[in-house]
């Protein structure tokens, strides 16, 4: 039997891989009443510190309209805040709050267990090579 053309389509292959990887993580995040998009936003802020919405959207791979809704939700939960930039009063920066940091720091070990299971099944070296290839794809093809 010949493979379907969609089996070799890069966008679909990446989406299938993403959904396969995210399935157990999404279930775990749901237990903490957080979506994977909210998790990405908080992780980026936790790692990078404060940043404006445009930078955050790109770093967290979230579309701007979705980010607006995510920010509102995370503010209501007490995980992040908006504040004026000290250098440019027109610019709004987003900062993770202690409650958001606590969430990231308490859930990360659980997510790490899932990653370790991926490594055990797929191989640490192969996973590292895959990540290197994916980073290379983004560097070579990103035109945003």
């Amino acid at each position: 039997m010949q493979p379907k053309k969609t089996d070799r389509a890069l966008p679909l292959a990446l989406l299938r891989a993403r959904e396969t990887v995210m399935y157990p993580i999404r279930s775990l995040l749901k237990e903490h009443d957080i979506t994977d998009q909210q998790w990405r936003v908080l992780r980026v802020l936790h790692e990078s510190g404060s940043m404006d919405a445009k930078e955050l959207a790109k770093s967290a791979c979230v579309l701007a309209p979705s980010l607006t809704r995510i920010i509102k939700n995370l503010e209501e939960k007490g995980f992040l805040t908006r504040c004026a930039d000290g250098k440019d009063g027109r610019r709004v920066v987003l900062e993770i709050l202690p409650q958001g940091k606590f969430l990231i720091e308490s859930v990360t070990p659980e997510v790490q267990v899932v990653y370790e299971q991926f490594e055990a099944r797929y191989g640490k070296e192969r996973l590292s090579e895959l990540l290197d290839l994916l980073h290379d794809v983004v560097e070579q093809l990103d035109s945003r």
Side-chain angles (χ1 to χ4, degrees):
M1 180 177 205
Q2 199 172 29
K4 297 176 187 173
K5 290 180 182 179
T6 55
D7 288 343
R8 301 297 293 173
L10 181 60
L12 284 174
L14 291 170
L15 285 169
R16 284 185 192 108
R18 177 185 185 274
E19 289 307 309
T20 300
V21 168
M22 283 306 300
Y23 181 77
I25 295 171
R26 200 174 281 130
S27 298
L28 190 150
L29 296 175
K30 189 174 182 179
E31 292 174 16
H32 295 277
D33 192 31
I34 190 163
T35 67
D36 51 313
Q37 289 181 323
Q38 292 169 345
W39 175 253
R40 288 195 315 265
V41 165
L42 289 174
R43 278 196 62 199
V44 167
L45 287 175
H46 189 260
E47 287 179 12
S48 303
S50 61
M51 56 189 357
D52 71 23
K54 186 175 180 181
E55 295 169 311
L56 182 57
K58 183 171 183 178
S59 295
C61 297
V62 175
L63 297 174
S66 296
L67 183 61
T68 301
R69 185 185 72 253
I70 292 166
I71 291 168
K72 183 176 184 252
N73 188 281
L74 292 174
E75 276 184 309
E76 290 170 359
K77 291 181 177 186
F79 293 147
L80 66 74
T81 189
R82 300 177 220 218
C83 35
D85 185 335
K87 298 174 188 167
D88 181 353
R90 298 167 297 171
R91 184 173 175 247
V92 174
V93 292
L94 302 159
E95 290 184 12
I96 191 168
L97 292 171
Q99 190 170 331
K101 289 179 182 179
F102 178 78
L103 177 75
I104 293 295
E105 291 164 4
S106 61
V107 176
T108 295
E110 296 176 54
V111 173
Q112 189 60 39
V113 169
V114 174
Y115 287 148
E116 289 167 5
Q117 292 169 351
F118 292 153
E119 280 185 355
R121 290 182 69 190
Y122 192 67
K124 189 173 188 169
E125 189 174 312
R126 287 180 72 202
L127 194 56
S128 181
E129 289 171 9
L130 176 60
L131 287 168
D132 290 342
L133 287 169
L134 291 171
H135 285 287
D136 190 47
V137 166
V138 172
E139 282 184 26
Q140 296 297 320
L141 301 180
D142 191 9
S143 61
R144 289 182 282 165

